[in-house]
Amino acid sequence: MSPSELVDLLEGLDPLSELPRTGWVLRGVASPESLAAHSFGVAVAAMAIVDALREEGATVDGERVLRMALLHDAAEAKTGDIPMPRKTPAMQEALDAMEAAVIEDLLPEPYRALWTEAEAKDSLEARIVKAADKVLMMAKLRVYERQHRGRLDEFWANPKNERAMGFPFVERVFREIRTRAGR
């Protein structure tokens, strides 16, 4: 990567530091996490999941996981954060095409390939990132509820919010979050 490409990358991703997670905003959470803070949290959760899977004997490319976690929402630097309940199938299709075009302009190779892999969720590493994304969301939900920040009950009712991606460790994490939340 050239110095110019690095500056372009940093400037292109910079909006993530200012954009709030829209799902929280729609539910009355004042000053919610930014997209950049979210990506950092996903990376931390992914790191811990990688360690847990390795302890269980799995072979995981942890660096690949962390790279994907940091880039998984990169397109939102240009598209903004459109929460799941607002996406119709037609909107999702259009958004997928728009995000792919944004990524083409925003990320140099090999980062583009990492983002594409994370989106496809076909590899072990991409599934870890998806699981980490959901773990962080549910942990953040518990934090916001403890702080009495918003109308958040619907998050608990949506089974898609607890996608463990086939990892028993992640299922145990979701149970722990629910237990701590008294749910």
Side-chain angles (χ1 to χ4, degrees), residues 16-166:
L16 295 173
S17 68
E18 301 292 328
L19 290 169
R21 296 270 292 163
T22 307
W24 301 126
V25 172
L26 291 173
R27 288 156 186 95
V29 175
S31 302
E33 66 182 335
S34 69
L35 292 167
H38 166 75
S39 292
F40 171 78
V42 170
V44 171
M47 176 181 65
I49 292 168
V50 165
D51 290 344
L53 294 176
R54 285 177 175 165
E55 287 175 15
E56 294 173 356
T59 301
V60 182
D61 185 340
E63 179 181 350
R64 187 170 198 79
V65 170
L66 291 176
R67 287 170 174 257
M68 276 191 254
L70 291 170
L71 295 172
H72 82 283
D73 280 339
E76 293 180 10
K78 302 293 183 203
T79 66
D81 180 28
I82 302 171
M84 289 296 291
R86 303 288 189 238
K87 295 177 188 171
T88 65
M91 182 187 287
Q92 184 63 59
E93 187 177 325
L95 183 60
D96 290 346
M98 183 172 55
E99 285 181 345
V102 164
I103 290 301
E104 186 71 27
D105 290 337
L106 184 63
L107 298 180
E109 280 298 339
Y111 303 143
R112 235 179 279 144
L114 288 167
W115 180 87
T116 301
E117 182 179 343
E119 283 294 298
K121 299 172 201 66
D122 291 334
S123 68
L124 171 65
E125 288 78 8
R127 288 182 18 251
I128 290 169
V129 172
K130 184 60 176 178
D133 189 39
K134 294 303 181 181
V135 163
L136 177 67
M137 182 185 69
M138 295 306 286
K140 198 68 174 173
L141 168 61
R142 183 170 135 57
V143 167
Y144 287 153
E145 276 194 336
R146 283 193 344 251
Q147 296 170 345
H148 306 289
R149 291 173 67 186
R151 303 166 307 280
L152 305 170
D153 284 338
E154 74 182 87
F155 280 90
W156 296 108
N158 186 347
K160 290 181 180 179
N161 290 339
E162 295 183 46
R163 282 182 254 169
M165 303 304 290

